[in-house]
Amino acid sequence: MLRPELEDINLKNRTTTAKLVWQPRGYDPHLHKWLHRIDVPTLLVWGANDRLFPKDYAFAYQRLIPGSKVAIIPDSGHLPQVEQPQAFVAALEGFLEGRRIAA
């Protein structure tokens, strides 16, 4: 159970998510036209066993987002940050460290 002060935030987050993905179920036929405009370092973290959006999506997005990187988290589904938090943090730290060295 969430702490009372987080319940409103959680409800707002879920409501926003529902508005964004309910219809037409997270599908934007024009998304590919926009992804090339992302001009910040981008790490796509994906669960190896994601059944909502299989890992092929990660590689498709990577091809469309210039300079992006993909981290596939083994033994996780749609929520790798929850299912494999240590692997998620390691992937994120590795990405950030790579950015620090490049700067």
Side-chain angles (χ1 to χ4, degrees), residues 28-47:
D28 181 350
H30 304 289
L31 184 61
H32 69 281
K33 297 177 187 177
W34 297 100
L35 292 178
H36 75 277
R37 297 180 68 176
I38 296 173
D39 62 357
V40 296
T42 303
L43 176 65
L44 301 158
V45 181
W46 227 267

Side-chain angles (χ1 to χ4, degrees), residues 66-100:
S68 62
K69 307 284 184 209
V70 172
I72 302 296
I73 306 298
D75 302 317
S76 64
H78 191 64
L79 299 172
Q81 72 276 16
V82 174
E83 298 167 32
Q84 296 292 335
Q86 291 174 330
F88 175 84
V89 169
L92 184 58
E93 286 177 339
F95 178 74
L96 294 174
E97 182 62 24
R99 299 297 310 154
R100 187 185 69 74

Side-chain angles (χ1 to χ4, degrees), residues 53-69:
F53 298 100
K55 62 185 174 187
D56 291 343
Y57 280 75
F59 297 113
Y61 290 162
Q62 181 187 27
R63 286 190 296 277
L64 295 170
I65 301 170
S68 62
K69 307 284 184 209

